[in-house]
Amino acid sequence: MAWSFHKRIKIIPGVHLNLSKSGISTSIDIEGAIILPDSYTPPAPADNIFSADIHKITSQNMKGVKEAIVLAYQQRKELESDLLNIQTTLGTSKLKRMFSYIFLYGLLIKRISENLTADIEMQKEAISQTKAAIEDCYVNLEIDFDSEIKEKYDKLVNAFKKLATSHKIWDITSAHFQDRVISRSSASTIVNKQEVKFSFSSIPGLRSNFEALYFQNANGADLYCYPSFIIMYANQADFAIIGIDEINLQQRAVRFTETDAVPADSKIIDKTWARVNKNGTPDKRFNGNYQIPIVRYGEITLSTHTGLNEEYEFSNYESTEEFSNVFKEYQIAIKRSNLYKLSGAGI
């Protein structure tokens, strides 16, 4: 009997997202998907700075988008499993045909070799079709900007480019109080931080005409900021989606006692001593006491009521301030467009 492979392939057509004055409209080609709300996980203790369980963070109005991405990942995984099975079957068929020639029964009974050859051609065609289906198995994110929002988003991208070129970017992973009298230090807070990178990137399985603003995370899932939402992405099974309008971004200047080399794009705003008295003067009891620069860094915190809690520090304060201002302007425009949509729907 000739080999046959029958599998109904369902390709995820994608998520279609439109941003305009009339609001943010999202259409997702999913039928019968029921999303249950997650419970809230309290934030981590104050001295440790990291987000809650990634499965708890997704915004309520972004659960449909997450479901579409999950379905696309699941389908791709199934297709890849099918591809492996067909490739294994193809190898077996080729081996059978080779043995039929070696032991001559394939030459004597031509129907055997003909059937095997037909199977091989069908298996090759199935492999070709499955590979094409895998290539097409993705979530398509289409963004149609209103001109006003597009202008603000372009400003956000430019501000992010400047921010990403800071000589130093750190992810603050913990911070705790230090007794200055006991330590004889001018610093009242001990900060643990790791150097990270900001760039432009996208998560696997999501295609868009925009690359996301990428925030590397030293102690958790990385952040990918798209025009309407932020994806916290660890892997295909562990990610969360948060609406831009739900992000609470705070920015401030930080006085930092820098014991390492001062970055070229940072400003020294004061000086202190390695060992100081309570009034800030050098403690003369310590031989070889030396001066330490105090620099101004920029700090950005990102949080939501669902448990997002990330804090970054930048050597370039001006870029930090600019990005914060532009992000909030863009966020206000997004929120206003949502309000327009709700008021229009009620008329």
Side-chain angles (χ1 to χ4, degrees):
M1 181 178 292
W3 178 88
S4 63
F5 177 76
H6 300 284
K7 184 168 182 68
R8 185 169 63 90
I9 297 174
K10 178 183 176 183
I11 300 299
I12 301 294
V15 178
H16 302 285
L17 182 66
N18 296 301
L19 279 70
S20 67
K21 284 186 176 179
S22 61
I24 305 174
S25 60
T26 309
S27 61
I28 305 162
D29 299 310
I30 303 175
E31 295 181 358
I34 300 175
I35 311 298
L36 299 176
D38 291 323
S39 59
Y40 169 63
T41 299
D47 58 338
N48 293 319
I49 302 171
F50 56 87
S51 298
D53 185 339
I54 198 169
H55 297 289
K56 310 293 185 182
I57 297 177
T58 294
S59 302
Q60 187 66 33
N61 63 340
M62 290 292 162
K63 291 182 180 292
V65 180
K66 179 177 179 179
E67 184 69 8
I69 296 175
V70 168
L71 288 177
Y73 284 154
Q74 290 174 345
Q75 180 180 313
R76 188 182 185 93
K77 187 175 181 179
E78 290 175 6
L79 289 170
E80 288 173 343
S81 177
D82 291 337
L83 178 61
L84 181 61
N85 290 334
I86 301 169
Q87 289 172 331
T88 301
T89 303
L90 174 62
T92 302
S93 297
K94 288 182 176 179
L95 198 60
K96 287 180 179 179
R97 187 175 64 176
M98 182 184 69
F99 284 147
S100 74
Y101 292 143
I102 292 175
F103 295 107
L104 300 180
Y105 64 84
L107 296 175
L108 297 175
I109 308 175
K110 293 187 177 297
R111 180 170 50 84
I112 295 177
S113 60
E114 289 174 355
N115 287 343
L116 287 169
T117 299
D119 285 353
I120 288 171
E121 293 305 313
M122 289 170 52
Q123 290 156 11
K124 287 181 178 179
E125 179 61 24
I127 288 173
S128 177
Q129 291 179 4
T130 307
K131 284 182 176 180
I134 290 172
E135 181 62 25
D136 289 335
C137 188
Y138 61 89
V139 171
N140 182 41
L141 182 62
E142 295 181 356
I143 301 173
D144 181 21
F145 276 114
D146 171 85
S147 58
E148 181 182 350
I149 297 180
K150 176 66 164 61
E151 181 180 350
K152 292 186 181 297
Y153 183 73
D154 288 342
K155 287 178 63 178
L156 178 65
V157 170
N158 290 331
F160 181 79
K161 287 179 180 178
K162 293 180 183 178
L163 187 66
T165 58
S166 298
H167 284 222
K168 294 287 184 179
I169 303 175
W170 299 277
D171 182 2
I172 309 300
T173 56
S174 67
H176 61 272
F177 172 76
Q178 173 180 249
D179 190 318
R180 294 170 57 183
V181 176
I182 295 176
S183 64
R184 291 293 173 178
S185 170
S186 63
S188 60
T189 305
I190 296 295
V191 173
N192 293 321
K193 57 186 183 180
Q194 296 184 41
E195 192 170 349
V196 294
K197 299 292 183 182
F198 280 24
S199 61
F200 291 89
S201 185
S202 294
I203 69 166
L206 192 152
R207 295 184 184 179
S208 172
N209 51 338
F210 292 90
E211 277 198 302
L213 316 183
Y214 170 68
F215 300 64
Q216 186 181 6
N217 188 2
N219 61 344
D222 295 335
L223 278 66
Y224 295 79
C225 182
Y226 288 92
S228 184
F229 49 76
I230 289 178
I231 298 180
M232 288 195 70
Y233 185 87
N235 54 57
Q236 294 183 0
D238 300 316
F239 66 94
I241 307 181
I242 308 160
I244 286 287
D245 58 336
E246 295 189 24
I247 300 294
N248 177 25
L249 185 148
Q250 298 295 325
Q251 180 268 335
R252 69 185 181 100
V254 176
R255 287 171 57 93
F256 192 86
T257 304
E258 186 56 84
T259 55
D260 294 326
V262 176
D265 57 350
S266 301
K267 292 182 179 179
I268 298 176
I269 56 176
D270 204 349
K271 290 187 178 180
T272 186
W273 297 86
R275 302 291 182 179
V276 297
N277 295 315
K278 190 174 182 180
N279 61 3
T281 58
D283 192 332
K284 296 182 179 179
R285 294 176 301 172
F286 292 88
N287 293 326
N289 201 359
Y290 57 92
Q291 279 193 314
I292 299 174
I294 297 176
V295 297
R296 182 176 66 173
Y297 290 151
E299 181 182 277
I300 286 179
T301 60
L302 301 168
S303 62
T304 65
H305 72 281
T306 56
L308 174 69
N309 181 37
E310 299 297 335
E311 186 173 314
Y312 292 97
E313 197 169 274
F314 304 83
S315 58
N316 190 320
Y317 170 78
E318 289 74 18
S319 294
T320 312
E321 185 177 42
E322 179 182 355
F323 178 79
S324 174
N325 292 337
V326 173
F327 182 90
K328 289 177 181 179
E329 288 177 8
Y330 178 71
Q331 193 177 46
I332 289 171
I334 293 294
K335 289 180 179 179
R336 281 177 178 170
S337 60
N338 277 337
L339 290 176
Y340 295 153
K341 183 178 181 182
L342 291 175
S343 61
I347 296 174

